[in-house]
Amino acid sequence: MTTRTDQAEQRDVTCLLGCRTRAGEPFPAQHGYRTCDPCADELRADIQELARLYPELARAVVPSGGAPAGGLGAPGYGSRSPARDSVLVLTDRRTRAEDDGDPHAVLEVLAGWADNIREDTGMSVPDPGAQREGRLLVGWLDFTARQPWAGRLDTPLGQLRDEITEQLGLAPRTVAGEAAFLVEWFDYITRQYWVSDLADEIRGLLPLVRAATGTAESSVPVGTCPTTEESTQRPCGARLRVRPDADRITCPKCRTRWPRATWDKLSDAQGTPVSDVAALSAWLSVPAGTLRRWRGEDGWTNHGSPRRPLYERDAVLTSWQRRRGGLLAG
């Protein structure tokens, strides 16, 4: 039975992932959890994106077109590895962060949190001695199954081998496997006080992996936040971006959220802002010369003066989407 005291305590539980209401107050957590649903959805999506992008790191270790190891370099320089160190630290489990901001190995981070859950929930963790003996047994089973006289024994021997490997944790760990484990236990994770620490590490890794795999610009700009701030009665004005597979747009400043079904209303609420080429260049990270070429090709209307032309952001964004991959119409 839920008492009034329990209800009052739950109202005092705020989302630990940093989201805020429009008034700037901490957003309440979902009942029984330590996160709100939107933040939990974003964290789950980030873990899944890490698993999806990680295989691309293998191709990003050596840049395309790089000179082979041991090849001739510029005069005065010795031979150097063509591998990208920034990618190696994300894939080598020996990577250790010594200072704040240093990168971690992706597998090491996910495996560490997965092991925390296994320990907290009482899952059996085999000791090194048992694993050593298990490897010997698995090796003997493999050897026996390959013998000509084994005959039909190869199938049951293979099944026994798989069971021993799973029970003793002998299978090699993978980013995909550990990420799937975290997603499977996500209901448990979002009830724990350390969920914010997990989120911080995932959020720290994801930009590095995106940059290493060339997907850092996977989100597109959608305008500025029109939410009125209660303290100033002015629009928030923060720049809004969204990934193509996202279900909602979240303001990075005031944390207002717009589900996909309300994106048309968001576009209407933004009105028809206009900007000059310099501001548009900073907004879209596109060179000013490229924008001027788009202006000629797409026929933007000048809402300013000949000396300081101003163009509708909606029109400019439409040109950007036409060339970079459309997401929002307007």
Side-chain angles (χ1 to χ4, degrees):
M1 178 177 178
T2 302
T3 65
R4 292 184 178 180
T5 301
D6 294 335
Q7 294 174 345
E9 290 178 351
Q10 177 59 38
R11 284 195 298 269
D12 293 336
V13 176
T14 58
C15 177
L16 296 180
L17 300 190
C19 60
R20 300 274 175 173
T21 65
R22 295 184 180 184
E25 300 295 330
F27 199 83
Q30 184 71 10
H31 183 76
Y33 295 83
R34 294 182 179 270
T35 66
C36 63
D37 284 347
C39 282
D41 291 342
E42 290 175 11
L43 177 57
R44 183 191 296 107
D46 287 345
I47 294 173
Q48 292 171 327
E49 185 176 1
L50 269 181
R52 180 177 60 82
L53 293 177
Y54 189 78
E56 300 294 326
L57 288 176
R59 287 185 283 273
V61 170
V62 180
S64 59
L72 295 177
Y77 292 88
S79 62
R80 64 181 67 179
S81 168
R84 295 169 56 191
D85 293 340
S86 61
V87 179
L88 289 175
V89 296
L90 295 171
T91 57
D92 190 342
R93 293 195 65 180
R94 296 171 297 178
T95 299
R96 294 291 183 271
E98 298 180 357
D99 299 313
D100 290 342
D102 286 351
H104 295 70
V106 177
L107 180 56
E108 194 67 19
V109 170
L110 298 183
W113 285 108
D115 284 347
N116 284 346
I117 296 172
R118 294 181 179 107
E119 293 176 6
D120 290 348
T121 56
M123 296 184 189
S124 58
V125 179
D127 59 63
Q131 288 188 325
R132 182 169 56 254
E133 294 176 1
R135 290 190 184 92
L136 292 175
L137 179 55
V138 166
W140 180 84
L141 291 172
D142 284 339
F143 173 80
T144 303
R146 290 195 298 268
Q147 300 311 305
W149 49 262
R152 297 180 180 178
L153 288 176
D154 59 346
T155 298
L157 287 175
Q159 294 174 346
L160 179 58
R161 178 196 186 282
D162 293 342
E163 292 178 5
I164 294 173
T165 299
E166 181 179 356
Q167 289 294 326
L168 296 182
L170 300 178
R173 295 191 178 198
T174 64
V175 167
E178 300 296 66
F181 179 86
L182 294 177
V183 171
E184 179 183 355
W185 282 83
F186 205 73
D187 186 80
Y188 174 83
I189 291 172
T190 49
R191 296 175 184 267
Q192 309 307 311
Y193 68 91
W194 43 256
V195 64
S196 59
D197 295 327
L198 168 63
D200 287 344
E201 293 197 12
I202 297 298
R203 290 168 176 169
L205 275 177
L206 194 53
L208 298 176
V209 174
R210 286 174 179 164
T213 56
T215 55
E217 295 300 325
S218 59
S219 61
V220 300
V222 295
T224 56
C225 178
T227 302
T228 301
E229 296 182 341
E230 295 186 5
S231 58
T232 64
Q233 294 300 308
R234 295 179 179 177
C236 169
R239 297 177 182 177
L240 302 178
R241 299 184 69 91
V242 64
R243 296 198 304 265
D245 58 349
D247 293 326
R248 60 178 57 84
I249 296 171
T250 302
C251 175
K253 181 179 178 182
C254 69
R255 308 302 295 180
T256 301
R257 296 177 175 85
W258 293 271
R260 184 177 284 268
T262 65
W263 286 359
D264 288 341
K265 295 181 180 178
L266 170 61
S267 179
D268 294 340
Q270 291 174 337
T272 310
V274 294
S275 298
D276 59 19
V277 171
L280 293 169
S281 176
W283 178 48
L284 293 174
S285 299
V286 173
T290 301
L291 292 177
R292 293 188 180 96
R293 175 169 56 81
W294 293 357
R295 174 192 61 191
E297 294 172 350
D298 297 345
W300 301 343
T301 300
N302 180 5
H303 293 270
S305 64
R307 296 185 61 182
R308 186 170 181 263
L310 300 174
Y311 305 102
E312 293 183 5
R313 289 200 173 200
D314 283 352
V316 178
L317 185 57
T318 298
S319 296
W320 188 95
Q321 291 166 351
R322 183 178 298 122
R323 292 163 175 82
R324 302 292 179 89
L327 176 62
L328 302 176

